[in-house]
Amino acid sequence: MKLIDKLRNKRHLEDYEYEYLLTKLSDNEKAYLFEQARAVAQENFGNKVFIRGLIEFSNYCKNNCYYCGIRRDNEKVERYRLNKEDVLECCQTGYQLGFRTFVLQSGEDDSYRVNEMSDIIRTIRDKYPDCAITLSMGEKDKHTYEQYFHAGANRYLLRHESINEKHYASLHPEGMHIQTRVQCLKDLKEIGFQTGSGIMVGSPKQTTQNLIEDIKFLEELSPEMIGIGPYLPHEDTPFKEEAKGSMDTTLILLAIMRLMHPQALIPSTTALATIDPTGRDQGILAGANVVMPNLSPLTMRKKYQLYNDKACMDDEAAESLDSLNKRLEKIGYTISYDRGDFKGEKDV
Ligand code: 5AD
């Protein structure tokens, strides 16, 4: 199909062409899109899928995003915080299982002082010099990001959620601005972090036009990592009645991302695994090349619910790498135990 070939070759389309891909593809055309995305992923990564050990170290959050289950005003959440020893224990378990990337994710929890956080990062860095440290802990000032980078963190995940100012404002309460988010992403890149951004597909009030704006924003930002998952409602949020995002559109957007960003590290997200039992596999078959099994202490996993029924057991659990690998083998892939850093020449 010409449009898909054009995207693969030029890595760029006109707005109406993106619209066609997002809304009008026949089943055959979708199959072709996924096939091309897969081919590009295989050119760059072979049949390997990188794994990242996800450590959800605190579910306290000062923000009140309307979609998120751990928003500040959700009083039903049993809040927890891991201390340094807990985090290190997760790393140790993860390292023994074969993980070479640790993703430290939390709500925006200011109770960890910058020095304290830097100390945790530095300790992991010293103990595991061969591992990558990824942070995913929200908006901070540039100086804080710099301290974390100098302490030894390598990567940072911060989804922009929506580049459209009005749409962003409809997802977040007053006081949160897309401009702040974009500034953070610029700071992270400038400092030298491998930087990840992305969106939820089908978040409330999102239009196809919004998705096209997000595609173009990501084109310009050119992040090393791109996180895309469907929006899923959580029963204790203001958006509890909103419809979940479309799995199909999520897969199409994943494939578009792969064709536009051949070297990017693109996870087949937990939300995708949650929306459909075959979601994780389908994400990989649409061009994703990363999975992020859950390495949080078992008792905490249920407490880190951004949306209902979050998959965190079985193949989403760090302890089940064998079973994950078997599942991957069924679709022609295997786990790569490498660190899996971004290796790309930009804009070639
Ligand atoms: N459904 C899907 N994804 C969500 N996230 C937060 N809440 C939800 C939800 N209800 C995503 C956001 C955030 C990432 C950590 O999880 O995009 O950036």
Side-chain angles (χ1 to χ4, degrees):
M1 199 216 163
K2 269 207 189 124
L3 201 49
I4 296 167
D5 294 340
K6 178 177 170 189
L7 182 59
R8 181 170 175 180
N9 294 326
K10 297 212 164 138
R11 303 179 192 174
H12 176 84
L13 294 176
E14 301 302 322
D15 287 13
Y16 71 93
E17 295 174 314
Y18 290 126
E19 185 186 355
Y20 185 94
L21 293 183
L22 290 166
T23 60
K24 299 197 176 67
L25 290 185
S26 69
D27 285 352
N28 280 340
E29 290 170 328
K30 269 181 223 167
Y32 185 70
L33 172 66
F34 300 152
E35 188 186 306
Q36 294 304 305
R38 217 150 57 221
V40 169
Q42 295 203 357
E43 267 173 28
N44 287 282
F45 307 102
N47 63 345
K48 297 285 184 185
V49 174
F50 294 120
I51 49 168
R52 320 296 195 197
L54 180 63
I55 304 168
E56 296 151 336
F57 68 93
S58 164
N59 67 355
Y60 280 86
C61 193
K62 66 176 184 193
N63 289 334
N64 227 352
C65 309
Y66 301 128
Y67 48 85
C68 182
I70 63 167
R71 65 198 303 271
R72 183 185 64 224
D73 285 356
N74 184 2
E75 287 173 2
K76 293 200 184 154
V77 180
E78 249 185 86
R79 305 283 171 174
Y80 72 88
R81 242 174 223 130
L82 302 189
N83 62 24
K84 180 177 170 182
E85 283 64 42
D86 301 329
V87 173
L88 284 167
E89 212 170 288
C90 293
C91 293
Q92 192 182 350
T93 308
Y95 193 85
Q96 282 166 354
L97 290 167
F99 288 94
R100 292 299 176 268
T101 293
F102 305 122
V103 181
L104 273 53
Q105 184 171 84
S106 69
E108 289 201 15
D109 181 357
D110 286 341
S111 80
Y112 295 84
R113 307 274 88 214
V114 177
N115 283 342
E116 198 183 337
M117 200 62 219
S118 300
D119 175 55
I120 296 177
I121 296 166
R122 199 171 296 109
T123 308
I124 301 174
R125 171 55 52 242
D126 290 346
K127 267 192 123 167
Y128 304 102
D130 54 334
C131 292
I133 302 171
T134 305
L135 303 178
S136 174
M137 44 194 297
E139 296 176 351
K140 312 279 168 200
D141 60 47
K142 188 171 186 186
H143 184 62
T144 303
Y145 285 148
E146 273 165 348
Q147 282 183 261
Y148 295 162
F149 187 75
H150 291 127
N154 315 91
R155 310 182 188 144
Y156 204 103
L157 304 175
L158 182 65
R159 290 192 184 170
H160 68 282
E161 315 294 0
S162 174
I163 197 61
N164 181 283
E165 199 171 326
K166 277 202 184 131
H167 183 233
Y168 186 94
S170 75
L171 298 175
H172 303 95
E174 226 174 302
M176 287 180 75
H177 301 285
I178 183 58
Q179 291 89 338
T180 316
R181 194 58 63 107
V182 171
Q183 186 58 50
C184 286
L185 288 164
K186 287 188 178 147
D187 290 345
L188 289 162
K189 285 212 121 193
E190 253 173 43
I191 293 167
F193 278 103
Q194 292 171 48
T195 303
S197 199
I199 59 161
M200 297 175 283
V201 171
S203 58
K205 299 211 170 70
Q206 182 184 66
T207 62
T208 302
Q209 190 49 43
N210 292 151
L211 283 178
I212 296 168
E213 293 167 54
D214 289 320
I215 290 173
K216 294 200 288 188
F217 170 70
L218 289 170
E219 179 181 11
E220 189 189 313
L221 181 71
S222 191
E224 285 78 20
M225 302 169 286
I226 303 173
I228 307 279
Y231 163 73
L232 296 170
H234 186 294
E235 62 195 345
D236 303 315
T237 64
F239 283 172
K240 63 181 170 205
E241 306 290 352
E242 302 286 343
K244 64 185 176 195
S246 142
M247 155 119 155
D248 246 32
T249 312
T250 305
L251 293 171
I252 291 170
L253 190 60
L254 265 183
I256 293 175
M257 289 299 106
R258 171 54 68 211
L259 293 175
M260 295 180 73
H261 306 267
Q263 322 250 24
L265 296 150
I266 304 181
S268 188
T269 49
T270 308
L272 198 50
T274 302
I275 200 173
D276 186 292
T278 65
R280 213 226 359 264
D281 300 349
Q282 294 199 52
I284 289 161
L285 294 172
N289 72 320
V290 174
V291 292
M292 300 170 63
N294 199 308
L295 195 52
S296 310
L298 281 167
T299 49
M300 311 297 172
R301 285 184 203 175
K302 291 281 170 209
K303 299 180 186 164
Y304 202 90
Q305 292 264 347
L306 306 184
Y307 40 82
N308 284 134
D309 307 316
K310 190 185 83 168
C312 61
M313 305 318 264
D314 305 321
D315 286 355
E316 297 305 313
E319 303 76 33
S320 320
L321 286 187
D322 285 345
S323 120
L324 172 65
N325 204 40
K326 287 205 182 91
R327 284 271 303 264
L328 291 175
E329 279 174 356
K330 284 196 185 147
I331 55 166
Y333 291 78
T334 53
I335 291 176
S336 163
Y337 287 90
D338 295 346
R339 246 175 79 135
D341 284 295
F342 180 82
K343 297 210 173 69
E345 287 303 308
K346 285 304 186 60
D347 303 315
V348 283

